[in-house]
Amino acid sequence: MEDGMTKRWLGAHKELLHAATRHSFILSIRDGSIDLGCFKRWLGQDYLFVRAFVRFAANVLVKLPKDVAETDIDVVLGGICALEKEISWFRSESSKWGVHFDTLIPQKANEDYCRFLEELSASSTHYAVVLAAFWAIEMVYNDAFATCLETDAKTPSELYDACERWGNAGFKAYCTALQQLADKHLQMSSIDIQGQAEQAFLKILSSEVEFWNMSCQ
Ligand SMILES: Cc1ncc(CN)c(N)n1
């Protein structure tokens, strides 16, 4: 099968991809040197992010044209259902780590990222662009956290569950399904839309880097 557009982007933007998926925050989980204060900061901020991400994902579903294949809708719907479990997981972690979500204030990198998701949700954004963005957001977490599960990783046992959540094989399969979906619709789109999708992909990678940076401060 011919390579899809997203695979070409991954090859063309290796440095930024590496910065987003092998950030020092992730590497410090992997080698066991993580400052747990950073982990707690990430946990709280990511809970706020995921709440915004649910709205974004719901908007992706709404944007899908009525004549797309039912299996395409199922992939996005499955992702939204998974987010419900993700939110429950964050809530159970909140008591485990003593992080109180109700008094949290979103930090700038988080606000900026959530604002970008809102911009993507505008009615003028083509559905192929948001499908590509949806894939990119999930792919970064899968790729990053999967490294913390490798056999030579020294991931602290209390953080293993977090890494498993996004690094497991089922989540990888879901990311691959999202990628194939994005590729299929990008292929049917104009060059202009394809260009917009690549820009969104790049913005997501840099927003993920900023998000990890924020967690380490
Ligand atoms: C910042 C961020 N990016 C991605 C994911 C994966 N849903 C997340 N929870 N948070």
Side-chain angles (χ1 to χ4, degrees):
M1 204 178 82
E2 205 189 310
D3 277 356
M5 186 151 296
T6 54
K7 192 160 178 203
R8 265 183 272 143
W9 298 345
L10 293 170
H13 305 293
K14 278 202 182 91
E15 267 181 39
L16 188 52
L17 179 68
H18 190 269
T21 58
R22 300 292 181 275
H23 191 275
S24 53
F25 178 85
I26 285 294
L27 297 182
S28 70
I29 294 180
R30 195 186 189 285
D31 70 14
S33 67
I34 177 104
D35 173 343
L36 291 179
C38 298
F39 180 78
K40 288 189 200 179
R41 192 172 309 123
W42 165 82
L43 187 76
Q45 291 298 315
D46 210 39
Y47 172 73
L48 299 180
F49 175 84
V50 172
R51 296 207 58 95
F53 186 51
V54 168
R55 301 183 76 82
F56 168 77
N59 186 267
V60 175
L61 188 67
V62 169
K63 273 188 191 297
L64 289 182
K66 290 206 174 69
D67 59 358
V68 296
E70 278 185 27
T71 46
D72 292 3
I73 294 174
D74 292 348
V75 173
V76 177
L77 188 57
I80 295 172
C81 293
L83 287 174
E84 196 266 331
K85 291 201 183 67
E86 200 164 304
I87 286 190
S88 305
W89 178 81
F90 274 103
R91 290 197 182 122
S92 65
E93 289 292 294
S94 118
S95 33
K96 175 172 153 189
W97 293 95
V99 178
H100 302 291
F101 291 162
D102 41 354
T103 52
L104 277 176
I105 297 166
Q107 293 187 21
K108 186 174 180 306
N110 200 357
E111 276 181 335
D112 290 349
Y113 199 173
C114 292
R115 194 174 313 112
F116 178 58
L117 294 187
E118 275 176 37
E119 285 165 18
L120 284 176
S121 300
S123 57
S124 54
T125 312
H126 193 274
Y127 70 95
V129 175
V130 292
L131 278 176
F134 196 7
W135 158 71
I137 294 167
E138 299 290 47
M139 175 275 296
V140 168
Y141 262 41
N142 172 245
D143 199 323
F145 283 108
T147 65
C148 302
L149 302 177
E150 288 166 353
T151 44
D152 62 336
K154 298 186 180 67
T155 298
S157 57
E158 66 269 39
L159 304 189
Y160 199 83
D161 197 37
C163 301
E164 245 283 308
R165 162 151 291 283
W166 292 283
N168 75 73
F171 196 77
K172 167 118 192 125
Y174 157 62
C175 291
T176 304
L178 274 180
Q179 182 173 14
Q180 286 167 349
L181 190 58
D183 278 333
K184 180 171 100 174
H185 290 283
L186 284 167
Q187 200 199 358
M188 298 189 283
S189 301
S190 67
I191 292 188
D192 179 43
I193 297 298
Q194 292 173 353
Q196 287 176 32
E198 185 170 6
Q199 289 312 308
F201 168 73
L202 293 175
K203 174 79 181 166
I204 283 158
L205 293 187
S206 56
S207 300
E208 292 287 346
V209 173
E210 291 302 324
F211 203 93
W212 300 127
N213 286 345
M214 166 195 74
S215 306
C216 294
Q217 272 157 16

